[in-house]
Amino acid sequence: MKVALVHYWLVGMRGGEKVLESFCRLYPQADIFTLVAEPANLSETIRRHSITISFLQKIGGRRHYQKMLPLMPYALESLDLTGYDLVISSEAGPAKGVVTRPDSLHVCYCHSPIRYIWDLEPQYRAASGPITRLAMSLFGPGLRQWDVTTAARVDAFIANSDYVARRIEKFYRRESTVINPPVELSRFAPSDTLDEAYLCAGQITPYKKIELAIEAFNRLGRRLDIIGDGASEALKRLAGPTIRFLGPVSDTQMERHLARCQALVFPGVEDFGIVPLEAMASGRPVLAFGRGGARETVVDGKTGLLFHEQTADAIIDAVQRFEAGAVDGTAEDYRSHVARFGRELFESRIKAFIDERLVQAGRWGRDGAGREDRSSEAI
């Protein structure tokens, strides 16, 4: 059985790429297809595989891929997957839009329908310049139509959270099975020493609402460290003297900050959110806005606190309640809670799901033996 893994783009190692690593471990002979890639930024697990890159790489896509959304459907459909029996697309961009053989099985692991053409378009539009806003107006309707149409090319959807499953049903009118993404628990451990600072961490984009955390901690006068790439100069100008932008950091530095922060502050609406689980695996609580994936990972009052208005006032209230003792869990409680999101469990669930679909499609026997295709035999 020939397996292809399709990932939207490979320019760094974030949550989606950690999921791809699990697919690589499950299917060590699989080939990878992607729109653009920066191999130096990828893990050895991913680099071991043959990686085919679309034509966007040759026209500057490696640096400007986010501006090439209108070309991505053409780039994806130009990838030749006719030799593959099983195709697994990893979707937070338009990866599911590849064209596969009629008798192949296409499983899409959906981190999110494309945020910037669906429900989060207004936020991205508000944060964009006039040329980008014009492009969104011109290309948005066609891209939404293409995105819905290509959902029919997928044989089975896996959603990374209940929240994403509802969005798949809303936008694509398709059912999905929820399998939460993995956390590498062995990477994280509690620290005996805590810093004074709270922490925000992750790629800085408009929907993360980092500006609300900055306003809250300016008013509180508490220390806040912000880790991640993408902070604009305008955002940095909002920060007072107690707030530090640390930029992107190494895995080792991230693990240290997670283990020693007072708490992780999570003001955005995430599709799932790996960083809160990493904080809890590090023995620290999470103060999160109570929508999206955080509702599925943070136990209010036990592993953190959920605030229910996306405002600086709500963040201030959550910090004050936390400092008054409103979270009664321990580091051991946090880690015990996160154990159900471990990598081994994720990989076993993914393998069982795909194997069952292969059996249903008649592509594979329950004993793991491939079935010979006799569909063209004369009767």
Side-chain angles (χ1 to χ4, degrees):
M1 184 176 65
K2 291 197 68 178
V3 181
L5 307 176
V6 184
H7 195 72
Y8 37 99
W9 44 76
L10 289 169
V11 295
M13 292 300 300
R14 299 200 293 263
E17 288 71 37
K18 297 296 184 181
V19 170
L20 181 62
E21 283 188 316
S22 282
F23 294 150
C24 289
R25 281 186 285 266
L26 288 171
Y27 302 99
Q29 303 305 317
D31 298 326
I32 296 175
F33 292 80
T34 189
L35 289 166
V36 295
E38 185 65 76
N41 295 342
L42 304 177
S43 68
E44 180 61 29
T45 300
I46 293 175
R47 287 201 306 267
R48 274 193 223 108
H49 292 250
S50 170
I51 300 177
T52 297
I53 303 166
S54 80
F55 67 78
L56 295 185
Q57 184 96 347
K58 296 179 181 179
I59 59 174
R62 186 165 61 182
R63 294 185 60 187
H64 303 292
Y65 64 94
Q66 291 175 317
K67 301 174 183 177
M68 295 185 174
L69 183 61
L71 296 177
M72 289 179 185
Y74 304 100
L76 283 162
E77 292 180 356
S78 73
L79 298 172
D80 184 4
L81 299 176
T82 55
Y84 295 90
D85 307 296
L86 170 63
V87 176
I88 304 171
S89 57
S90 176
E91 167 86 346
K96 73 179 187 313
V98 292
V99 178
T100 62
R101 246 182 23 228
D103 63 335
S104 67
L105 177 69
H106 180 180
V107 176
C108 175
Y109 187 90
C110 188
H111 305 274
S112 170
I114 307 175
R115 301 181 188 96
Y116 31 88
I117 66 171
W118 290 109
D119 50 321
L120 294 187
E121 183 188 28
Q123 294 185 35
Y124 280 92
R125 185 187 291 271
S128 301
I131 295 176
T132 301
R133 289 198 295 271
L134 176 61
M136 293 173 76
S137 297
L138 291 174
F139 296 112
L143 286 167
R144 280 188 285 274
Q145 185 176 29
W146 179 85
D147 195 39
V148 171
T149 300
T150 56
R153 301 177 186 177
V154 176
D155 296 299
F157 274 99
I158 303 173
N160 74 349
S161 66
D162 291 330
Y163 179 68
V164 167
R166 290 192 294 272
R167 295 174 74 226
I168 291 171
E169 198 282 329
K170 177 71 172 180
F171 301 137
Y172 301 153
R173 300 302 180 188
R174 294 289 304 274
E175 294 183 352
S176 57
T177 298
V178 176
I179 301 179
N180 299 131
V183 178
E184 191 68 66
L185 298 174
S186 61
R187 279 184 53 205
F188 305 97
S191 172
D192 294 329
T193 304
L194 294 183
D195 296 332
E196 293 181 3
Y198 289 76
L199 182 67
C200 281
Q203 181 76 10
I204 300 173
T205 57
Y207 74 90
K208 304 275 188 170
K209 297 295 183 182
I210 300 298
E211 70 276 8
L212 297 180
I214 291 173
E215 180 186 346
F217 279 80
N218 280 341
R219 289 163 55 186
L220 284 165
R222 304 282 200 283
R223 281 184 53 194
L224 176 69
D225 288 341
I226 301 173
I227 290 175
D229 195 16
S232 66
E233 291 304 315
L235 192 66
K236 292 178 181 179
R237 285 195 294 270
L238 296 176
T242 63
I243 296 172
R244 297 189 303 172
F245 286 86
L246 303 181
V249 300
S250 68
D251 285 351
T252 301
Q253 290 172 315
M254 176 66 88
E255 291 155 17
R256 179 184 181 279
H257 281 284
L258 286 169
R260 299 182 65 165
C261 69
Q262 288 293 314
L264 178 77
V265 180
F266 203 68
V269 179
E270 280 282 7
D271 305 303
F272 180 68
I274 289 291
V275 177
L277 290 173
E278 292 177 343
M280 289 182 275
S282 304
R284 303 311 304 149
V286 179
L287 312 181
F289 180 47
R291 281 187 57 198
R295 293 184 62 183
E296 302 171 43
T297 58
V298 179
V299 182
D300 195 25
K302 193 69 174 180
T303 69
L305 294 174
L306 297 175
F307 51 92
H308 301 287
E309 294 180 0
Q310 205 171 27
T311 63
D313 286 339
I315 295 173
I316 290 170
D317 177 67
V319 171
Q320 291 174 339
R321 286 189 291 128
F322 166 67
E323 292 180 351
V327 179
D328 62 8
T330 65
E332 291 73 21
D333 292 330
Y334 309 154
R335 286 180 59 80
S336 175
H337 170 65
V338 174
R340 66 189 180 96
F341 300 98
R343 176 173 63 82
E344 293 80 6
L345 180 59
F346 169 79
E347 292 177 2
S348 68
R349 293 186 66 195
I350 288 288
K351 186 68 164 55
F353 178 92
I354 292 176
D355 285 351
E356 183 64 26
R357 295 314 180 278
L358 286 167
V359 170
Q360 291 173 0
R363 296 293 304 170
W364 212 251
R366 291 187 181 276
D367 59 356
R371 297 187 185 277
E372 183 181 356
D373 185 357
R374 299 180 180 273
S375 58
S376 62
E377 287 186 356
I379 299 176

